[in-house]
Amino acid sequence: MAEERFTRRTVSVVMAVIAALAFVFSFGNVWALALRLGVPRPIAPLIAPMVDLSVVGLLVALRFLALRGVPKAELKAGTRLLHLCGLLTLALNAAEPLLTGRYGRACLDTVAPLLLLGWGHVGPAFLAQFHTHTRPNPHLEATAAALATEPVPDVAPSPESAPPTPARRSPPP
């Protein structure tokens, strides 16, 4: 159980740190893009937090649901929205350097959103798998208990005393 807790916490902390760093990283990029596109100064700094807070909220919600054993199919809508927010973050981060012809900077500015997209995809899946493999299965435990209580014969039955197997009938011509 200690290994499970450590693993879950490590994955959760990594997801949170990636989301926080992507938030900080993209804040300035999106603000600069908004100003370049003529968005009023009081509104420009509000765009990046909307997208990034959506990512954080979705990561937290998907983590919670994955740890509760919610099937992946039921998390599909939240996962799709998370990917959309990740793609928006990617586009918003790379747009300003691409507009100014700074392609190296554009490549650098895609690192955080791509990591965010990747962790947004595998993080909840990892947590769900950790939960699945460590959760006790009552059906298997009941079967194991029943097998443990059945008496085991001391001697195997001889082939002569084994019940006869039904003869196979050939199909009609």
Side-chain angles (χ1 to χ4, degrees), residues 11-110:
V11 169
S12 297
V13 166
V14 167
M15 287 171 51
V17 168
I18 294 291
L21 290 175
F23 178 79
V24 171
F25 186 75
S26 71
F27 186 78
N29 292 341
V30 176
W31 193 347
L33 174 65
L35 291 175
R36 175 177 281 285
L37 295 175
V39 174
R41 285 198 178 275
I43 305 292
L46 303 177
I47 297 168
M50 287 188 300
V51 175
D52 292 335
L53 289 175
S54 295
V55 169
V56 171
L58 287 164
L59 281 173
V60 170
L62 289 171
R63 177 194 179 277
F64 176 82
L65 294 172
L67 287 175
R68 298 304 180 269
V70 174
K72 188 176 181 178
E74 292 182 30
L75 300 176
K76 195 171 278 193
T79 304
R80 284 182 182 158
L81 183 57
L82 179 64
H83 290 145
L84 174 65
C85 290
L87 289 172
L88 285 172
T89 302
L90 178 65
L92 290 170
N93 273 291
E96 201 270 331
L98 286 174
L99 289 173
T100 60
R102 297 180 298 173
Y103 301 111
R105 169 84 189 267
C107 289
L108 181 67
D109 287 352
T110 63

